Amino acid sequence: MKTATLNKGKETKYLNQYPLVEADDIYDHDHLKEGDLFYIVNDQGIYIATAYVGRQHKGLGWVLSYEQDEEINIPFFERLFELAKEERTYFYNIDGTNAFRLFNGEGDGIGGLTIDNYNGHLLIQWYSKGIYKFRYQILEALKTVFDYTSIFEKMRFKDAEIIGGFVEGVAPEFPIVIEENFTFYNIDLDDGPMTGIFLDQKEVRKKLKEHYSDNRNILNVFSYTGAFSVVAADNAKNTTSVDLANRSRPLTEENFGLNGIDPKSQYIYVMDTFDFYGYAKRHDLFYDTIVVDPPSFARNKKKTFSVLKDYDKLILGALDILAPNGTMLLCTNNSTFSLKAFKKVVKETLENAGVAYELQDVMGLPKDFKTHAHYKPSKYLKAIFVKVL
């Protein structure tokens, strides 16, 4: 077994079960290759943890065990999968929802690996070449523990020779239909990096539907396949969905149709969000609820957008077209944007704009997206409902 020695003074956080092995904490890691298992030891050579090499951002890899004699093999993965399955008993039995996360990376004990369940069709996402080296053991454990109709995989790392897609089982004809909060959505597990819905927003969508959509004009920017619009449409006066991607229109129309809603009764724009803000302002369009759920970073021909630098501009643009006593749902999934920092941006932007406001609901990840108590970035999702008075 290879070893990696921590720089002096760096052992405390790993003794406190910090899961990400950060490259700057290791004295010398040139001998470590993707997929290697290694012992983390302190500067006295005393064992602290067992980890694997899987480079992600500033991370060298992830801790797997704190027992020196524990083997990382098929039974090891089976034990973690069994525990994860047991903790999601609620989601297996809930009415009106059949899509949820089965295994959530470091929250369930294996950083760099997630497994989602889309009504029996499982999707594995590999976030580094290192974790992909364990593919055989993980697949064997998965097949033993979880029931499935099919298994698909997506690569979240760059490698021209490794292509995701169908793995095993009975391959469906896409799109398949899943149900979430008694609402239906089309899903495709074999078409690019995304699937058609972000499962981590299920509770936020439910909150929008039940508390912020009744008899309201709703604007949903960065709308993707229109999930927020679709879930709110039954209660709303009308919905407006805005996304720059050309394919967003047919995907959104199809999701409306699945739920017995005539797409022509809703408004759908293929447009840059900031351009739409200007369009709506010129045409005196106002909205009672505005959903703002942008990607962390986006680029088009005219401009680039960064959540960390530009979120205030999204809020200010929304304020211009927000109806009196309206609500903004402000979201970010950027793991480096802490809830404290995000709240600060929201509050300072509104205060500088001279408006009175109330933070009504602050939400994070649903319980199937299990987080790690000692790793704050695992709590990456922030959603704030703000009423502007």
Side-chain angles (χ1 to χ4, degrees):
M1 179 75 76
K2 293 183 177 181
T3 62
T5 303
L6 291 169
N7 291 317
K8 193 168 185 177
K10 295 294 185 180
E11 63 271 12
T12 301
K13 69 181 182 182
Y14 297 101
L15 289 170
N16 289 332
Q17 300 196 352
Y18 186 79
L20 180 68
V21 184
E22 296 181 356
D24 290 345
D25 293 345
I26 304 298
Y27 174 71
D28 177 18
H29 52 78
D30 290 343
H31 63 298
L32 297 175
K33 309 301 179 188
E34 287 289 308
D36 281 350
L37 288 170
F38 64 97
Y39 291 149
I40 299 172
V41 300
N42 66 12
D43 61 327
Q44 303 298 312
I46 298 173
Y47 172 87
I48 294 176
T50 302
Y52 81 90
V53 180
R55 291 178 172 84
Q56 290 177 241
H57 307 300
K58 66 176 181 178
L60 173 66
W62 296 92
V63 172
L64 291 175
S65 175
Y66 296 93
E67 302 293 334
Q68 188 168 2
D69 59 353
E70 184 166 33
E71 291 188 45
I72 310 302
N73 52 17
I74 294 173
F76 169 83
F77 293 115
E78 286 179 351
R79 285 194 297 274
L80 290 181
F81 290 165
E82 288 282 7
L83 181 59
K85 182 180 180 181
E86 181 180 342
E87 291 182 343
R88 287 153 177 88
T89 300
Y90 168 81
F91 292 96
Y92 275 106
N93 294 289
I94 187 175
D95 289 334
T97 296
N98 58 22
F100 54 92
R101 179 148 289 185
L102 290 176
F103 193 90
N104 194 42
E106 65 277 4
D108 283 300
I110 308 173
L113 174 75
T114 65
I115 305 170
D116 292 318
N117 170 36
Y118 294 88
N119 194 23
H121 302 281
L122 307 190
L123 176 65
I124 307 170
Q125 297 186 89
W126 312 93
Y127 284 83
S128 70
K129 293 180 183 179
I131 192 60
Y132 189 77
K133 297 280 187 180
F134 296 90
R135 182 177 184 269
Y136 172 77
Q137 296 98 312
I138 288 171
L139 279 174
E140 290 303 303
L142 182 152
K143 290 186 287 185
T144 299
V145 174
F146 297 113
D147 296 327
Y148 62 90
T149 301
S150 71
I151 301 173
F152 285 77
E153 61 184 355
K154 290 186 185 294
M155 309 303 152
R156 297 300 186 183
F157 59 91
K158 293 181 180 179
D159 191 311
E161 296 180 1
I162 302 176
I163 300 173
F166 176 69
V167 177
E168 186 162 317
V170 180
E173 182 177 335
F174 290 116
I176 59 172
V177 177
I178 60 99
E179 186 177 13
E180 179 196 276
N181 297 322
F182 299 97
T183 306
F184 300 97
Y185 302 96
N186 276 328
I187 300 297
D188 191 334
L189 305 183
D190 199 21
D191 181 25
M194 305 214 275
T195 65
I197 198 168
F198 297 111
L199 296 178
D200 53 4
Q201 289 275 26
K202 66 168 70 65
E203 294 300 323
V204 182
R205 282 189 285 270
K206 186 170 186 276
K207 179 71 72 171
L208 174 71
K209 177 181 181 178
E210 294 178 351
H211 297 279
Y212 297 97
S213 63
D214 192 33
N215 203 34
R216 299 191 185 198
N217 296 318
I218 293 179
L219 171 63
N220 176 19
V221 296
F222 302 99
S223 59
Y224 184 31
T225 61
F228 279 110
S229 305
V230 172
V231 78
D234 275 343
N235 297 340
K237 278 186 183 177
N238 60 61
T239 69
T240 299
S241 304
V242 179
D243 197 286
L244 185 60
N246 285 321
R247 65 185 308 206
S248 66
R249 179 188 293 275
L251 294 172
T252 300
E253 289 175 343
E254 289 165 9
N255 279 334
F256 276 124
L258 277 178
N259 292 277
I261 300 166
D262 183 357
K264 294 179 181 178
S265 69
Q266 311 298 314
Y267 300 96
I268 303 172
Y269 293 83
V270 177
M271 203 175 204
D272 172 82
T273 290
F274 291 102
D275 290 344
F276 181 81
Y277 281 166
Y279 171 85
K281 189 175 180 180
R282 290 192 303 273
H283 290 81
D284 293 321
L285 302 177
F286 292 94
Y287 301 91
D288 303 294
T289 299
I290 300 178
V291 180
V292 183
D293 185 20
S296 292
F297 182 82
R299 177 188 287 116
N300 63 34
K301 294 179 181 179
K302 295 189 291 184
K303 62 174 83 76
T304 60
F305 169 82
S306 166
V307 157
L308 293 172
K309 295 179 180 179
D310 301 317
Y311 210 107
D312 59 334
K313 300 180 183 68
L314 285 175
I315 296 171
L316 292 172
L319 280 177
D320 284 339
I321 55 174
L322 187 67
N325 295 308
T327 299
M328 292 185 289
L329 167 54
L330 306 174
C331 307
T332 178
N333 64 359
N334 189 311
S335 63
T336 65
F337 206 172
S338 69
L339 177 58
K340 182 179 180 180
F342 186 43
K343 278 185 175 179
K344 183 180 179 182
V345 168
V346 172
K347 291 178 178 180
E348 288 185 351
T349 303
L350 294 173
E351 288 165 5
N352 291 339
V355 299
Y357 65 92
E358 178 184 332
L359 303 189
Q360 293 193 307
D361 286 292
V362 179
M363 302 180 69
L365 290 165
K367 290 184 178 180
D368 52 324
F369 280 72
K370 186 178 177 182
T371 60
H372 194 290
H374 303 291
Y375 185 61
K376 290 182 179 179
S378 71
K379 300 177 182 180
Y380 64 85
L381 181 66
K382 282 75 63 176
I384 303 175
F385 288 87
V386 186
K387 184 175 182 179
V388 177
L389 306 172

